[in-house]
Amino acid sequence: MAQYRKKPAIIDASQWFKHGDHLSVRPRVECFHPDPSANCKHCGKAVSEHGFVDTLEGGHTVCPADWIIEGTAGEFYPCKPDIFPDIYEKVEE
Ligand SMILES: [Zn+2]
C-alpha cells in the first residue's frame, strides 16, 4: 500500500442557518418525517428548523450552522461546522 495526499481543490461553500439561506436546501418539514416536532439527534434543535438537501448519496438533513459545499460535479453536500475548519481554509483573494 502506498500513501496518497488529497489534491487541493477549491470549492464553493456557505453556511446554512435558516430557510432561504441556500437555493438547494429546502425545508425539512416539506419532506417526510415521522414526527416534525421531534428534536434533532445531532444538534437538539426542532426538526422544523432544519433543511434538507439532495446529495449524490440521497437526501440529507441540514442542521442550522451546517456548511453547504458545492462539489466538483456541481452536487451539494452538508458538512458539520466543527469539522469544516479541519478540512477547508478560506481562499484569500
Ligand atoms: Zn440538527
Side-chain angles (χ1 to χ4, degrees):
M1 196 175 352
Q3 288 189 308
Y4 294 88
R5 175 172 40 224
K6 202 172 176 184
K7 288 181 181 176
I10 294 177
I11 49 93
D12 288 319
S14 61
Q15 211 167 1
W16 187 91
F17 291 100
K18 61 185 190 310
H19 303 309
D21 277 358
H22 198 290
L23 284 176
S24 70
V25 179
R26 59 190 193 274
R28 182 71 175 89
V29 285
E30 286 178 7
C31 313
F32 172 76
H33 191 280
D35 182 7
S37 66
N39 288 337
C40 172
K41 63 178 186 287
H42 299 292
C43 69
K45 295 193 168 102
V47 167
S48 60
E49 292 178 46
H50 285 66
F52 198 74
V53 65
D54 290 312
T55 73
L56 293 180
E57 289 91 36
H60 203 290
T61 298
V62 180
C63 292
D66 277 3
W67 285 85
I68 305 299
I69 297 168
E70 184 173 355
T72 49
E75 80 283 16
F76 294 101
Y77 53 97
C79 180
K80 292 289 168 207
D82 53 339
I83 299 169
F84 187 85
D86 292 341
I87 308 174
Y88 301 103
E89 59 185 1
K90 190 156 192 252
V91 177
E92 304 294 346
E93 306 289 330

